[in-house]
Amino acid sequence: MDRHIRVGARRRVRGAINLYYYAAPRTFYPLAGRMARVFYAVAVVLGAIGLYIAFFVAPTDAQQGEGYRIIFLHVPAAWMSMFLYVVMAFWAAVGLAFNTRLSSMMAQAIAPTGAWMAFLALWTGALWGKPMWGTWWVWDARLTSELILLFLYLGFMALQAAIDDPRRADRAGAVLAIVGVVNVPIIYFSVQWWNTLHQGASVSLTRSPSMAATMLWGMLVMALAFWMYCLGATLTRVRAIILERERRSDWAHELALGKERDA
Amino acid sequence: MKWESLGQFLAMGGYALYVWGSFAVTVAVIAVELALLRVRGRAARKAAAAPPEGDAS
């Protein structure tokens, strides 16, 4: 009984790696595993460097003392929460437009990590707000729009979980994800558009950053570490999703049996 | 080294609760997410390894 489905695209076309080859869940599965290991390793290295800068190199802040060091976790988490949402909506939209299964699986894999990042941004923000503003929470534009971002992630996950047919769930989730994108620029520009308790951006593309160089470097290295971690976690999750959805296919069955024997 | 003692480092200039509270929860979130991923991956492999006939869902 040899009914292996032939993989449509060739791995290499005229010497170059053919990216369409990896658009099939079956071929992406092992690649995602190798990539995830690399991203985790880079995340650990960058995280160690970033934390060293954060706690041992960056100077004490003139106004906020040592309390400002929350920035090294807060800003990377907040950036990732917004960035991941855009990436999630992008893959959801690609899946909706071109009916590519793997794109929709990527969107589904990103959502929980994005939700965790939004939660961390809110949590570290509350712990920063209490000593500096005197309150854990305030309904200002920045905080409220970030909370809405968390609810968008949770809504996307709940909607997908509520629909049994995965392809229908993908389409419904994609519409929600795409509509919710409008919230991301609202979060980003909220500190300019409204009079918020939250401070303005410390880092901007158009002017020099309003912080010491070592603080900035620590923050950027930590942001990269968070990014690499999120890539690793997303790819690990997409592997699980691929197996969940393809579990009736021969390749997934044989792969799982091989894994079971090895384990 | 900018810290004179371990105690001073842990005190974080009086912001220990806020700085370490942020740090601890971040570490916990990463640990929980990785643990959940492990469980989910194992369950997916087990489901795919099961014979197709016995799969009702």
Side-chain angles (χ1 to χ4, degrees), chain A residues 64 71 128 132-133 140 142 191 196-202 210:
Chain A
Q64 305 196 355
I71 200 172
W128 202 356
M132 303 306 165
W133 304 336
D140 96 341
R142 171 57 69 86
V191 287
T196 55
L197 191 53
H198 195 284
Q199 68 192 60
S202 306
S210 58

Side-chain angles (χ1 to χ4, degrees), chain A residues 51 55-56 58 60 64 66-67 69-70 73 113 116 123 127 131-132 229 237 240-241 243-244 247-248 253 256, chain B residues 1-3 12-13 15 18-23 25-26 29-30 33-34 37 40 44-45 48-50 55 57:
Chain A
L51 286 174
F55 284 113
F56 298 104
T60 306
Q64 305 196 355
E66 311 297 351
R69 290 184 199 279
I70 294 169
L73 300 170
T113 301
W116 280 123
W123 176 270
L127 283 170
M132 303 306 165
Y229 167 75
R237 190 175 293 107
I241 293 170
L243 272 194
E244 285 162 12
R247 66 180 185 276
R248 290 190 197 84
H253 185 60
Chain B
M1 187 69 75
K2 68 182 295 315
W3 309 98
M12 274 291 144
Y15 293 103
Y18 309 105
V19 174
W20 299 125
S22 300
F23 191 82
V25 171
T26 303
V29 161
I30 291 172
E33 182 172 30
L34 289 177
L37 282 171
R40 187 170 180 178
R45 276 197 296 277
D55 196 335
S57 66

Side-chain angles (χ1 to χ4, degrees), chain A residues 199-250:
Chain A
Q199 68 192 60
S202 306
V203 181
S204 140
L205 292 174
T206 48
R207 55 183 175 77
S208 57
S210 58
M211 57 199 300
T214 45
M215 290 182 189
L216 178 67
W217 275 109
M219 210 170 81
L220 292 179
V221 173
M222 285 304 289
L224 270 177
F226 269 63
W227 190 4
M228 294 300 116
Y229 167 75
C230 290
L231 275 167
T234 300
L235 289 170
T236 306
R237 190 175 293 107
V238 87
R239 274 163 62 87
I241 293 170
I242 288 172
L243 272 194
E244 285 162 12
R245 293 202 189 183
E246 306 271 297
R247 66 180 185 276
R248 290 190 197 84
S249 71
D250 285 346

Side-chain angles (χ1 to χ4, degrees), chain A residues 31 40 45 79 81 84-85 92 134 174 188-189 203 221 233 245 251:
Chain A
L31 176 71
Y40 284 134
V45 172
W79 279 352
S81 72
L84 287 177
Y85 193 90
Y188 190 79
F189 292 110
V203 181
V221 173
R245 293 202 189 183
W251 78 265

